[in-house]
Amino acid sequence: MKLKEFQKILVEKKINAGLFLSVDPSFFYFVGQKIENSMVLIPSKGKPILFVNKLEHVKVKIKKVIFKEPYKDLKKLVSAKKIESIGVNEGYISIKHKKELSKIAKIKSLGTIVGELRLIKTKKEIARIRKACSLT
């Protein structure tokens, strides 16, 4: 996972945070597991924050926030961290979600940023791919 590189790109693009919904493959890339009806907020500086439904019992290495009302709770966090712009992967976000997010912060497209970041694999990713290949 290239969290630091992603955060550096956010700073360069003047985007305060990236937000990935659980349906986005980038969610799995940054969180390391699939969790239904969740989202991960990655600030340009600091640690990622995972928003999960109280019905989900997951163990993750990043900070976890149990939400009651996802957009209301996200809005509180965004306000507290003074996040003015949020980058989203528009191919994996509905118009309804985008409309809700636009009430919280300025929405910017991440475009191909994450895809390009994931093209070149880290040593750890290569090791995982090799292990998966050896098992099949």
Side-chain angles (χ1 to χ4, degrees):
M1 169 177 50
K2 299 178 182 175
L3 178 63
K4 296 290 181 198
E5 292 92 332
F6 177 66
Q7 289 176 312
K8 184 178 175 185
I9 293 168
L10 288 176
V11 170
E12 289 169 4
K13 301 279 185 185
K14 296 183 174 130
I15 301 173
N16 300 126
L19 182 76
F20 301 100
L21 304 181
S22 57
V23 296
D24 188 332
S26 298
F27 177 93
F28 181 82
Y29 180 73
F30 288 113
V31 176
Q33 59 184 299
K34 288 188 178 189
I35 307 165
E36 295 295 319
N37 302 314
S38 301
M39 55 187 160
V40 63
L41 181 73
I42 303 174
S44 58
K45 294 177 183 166
K47 297 185 179 198
I49 301 150
L50 177 66
F51 286 80
V52 295
N53 184 302
K54 64 182 177 182
L55 299 174
E56 298 288 344
H57 295 283
V58 295
K59 290 185 180 183
V60 290
K61 294 179 181 179
I62 60 177
K63 181 179 177 181
K64 180 171 64 171
V65 172
I66 308 291
F67 67 75
K68 291 180 183 175
E69 297 178 53
Y71 290 104
K72 204 178 229 184
D73 296 342
L74 178 65
K75 185 176 184 173
K76 286 179 191 175
L77 184 78
V78 164
S79 293
K81 291 197 170 280
K82 297 181 173 131
I83 294 171
E84 296 175 0
S85 61
I86 297 175
V88 296
N89 200 348
E90 292 185 297
Y92 294 97
I93 189 165
S94 69
I95 294 170
K96 179 184 173 189
H97 285 112
K98 191 172 180 181
K99 187 176 179 182
E100 288 294 325
L101 287 172
S102 68
K103 295 175 188 176
I104 297 170
K106 184 177 181 182
I107 302 303
K108 294 187 175 184
S109 175
L110 291 175
T112 59
I113 294 171
V114 180
E116 290 171 6
L117 187 66
R118 293 177 60 190
L119 280 177
I120 300 171
K121 305 298 182 208
T122 64
K123 290 179 182 181
K124 195 173 186 178
E125 290 171 324
I126 292 169
R128 285 183 180 162
I129 291 167
R130 285 189 175 135
K131 183 177 180 180
C133 289
S134 71
L135 296 173
T136 57

